[in-house]
Amino acid sequence: MSEQEPAPVVRNADDVEYETVDAAQGLAKGVLVGEDDGAPNFAMRRFTLDAGAEVPRHTNEVEHVQYVLDGEYVVGIDGDEHRVSAGDSLLIPAGVVHSYRNEGDSEGAFLCVVPHGDDDIQVVE
């Protein structure tokens, strides 16, 4: 069986639907390009984190590559805290405990690229 080459995809920002993320109040996710679009290996998602919102410490089964678009917030990674802002980038390896906290007065936003596949999210007490 031969595999088809993926078709190009161009999506207007207004066509991206955002949904709240159950793990935390104030966190929303929009899939910019993903498996449903024919992307063969990775999904690119945009997250927004409201002012004052927190995402609890958790792990994922897949790595995350992130790029901060807007705002400033604190990312906890493996016990260390890092203040990030627009233009910063991160690699969070699979299985590493991480969290997010927006202490600012404005929304934060970041891109997150992940490989396709199962991503079991485990909240860490």
Side-chain angles (χ1 to χ4, degrees):
M1 178 172 24
S2 66
E3 292 185 29
Q4 273 189 324
E5 291 292 319
V9 173
V10 176
R11 173 162 297 128
N12 186 289
D14 294 334
D15 295 334
V16 176
E17 294 183 27
Y18 285 81
E19 58 186 40
T20 58
V21 177
D22 291 338
Q25 282 190 322
L27 181 67
K29 172 181 81 174
V31 178
L32 305 180
V33 178
E35 203 165 8
D36 291 345
D37 302 303
N41 302 304
F42 301 96
M44 181 169 49
R45 310 171 303 182
R46 182 176 183 270
F47 286 85
T48 58
L49 185 60
D50 291 345
E54 284 190 51
V55 178
R57 291 170 15 105
H58 65 283
T59 61
N60 298 78
E61 284 193 15
V62 299
E63 69 187 67
H64 294 45
V65 176
Q66 299 179 352
Y67 179 80
V68 180
L69 296 169
D70 294 309
E72 179 178 279
Y73 52 92
V74 176
V75 180
I77 304 174
D78 213 12
D80 294 323
E81 289 197 338
H82 308 271
R83 186 166 298 280
V84 296
S85 57
D88 293 342
S89 52
L90 307 94
L91 167 63
I92 301 172
V96 170
V97 175
H98 58 288
S99 62
Y100 305 90
R101 184 175 69 249
N102 186 345
E103 298 172 340
D105 295 328
S106 62
E107 179 181 85
F110 59 95
L111 294 178
C112 182
V113 177
V114 295
H116 294 317
D118 292 334
D119 184 15
D120 186 35
I121 299 168
Q122 297 291 320
V123 173
V124 177
E125 298 294 325

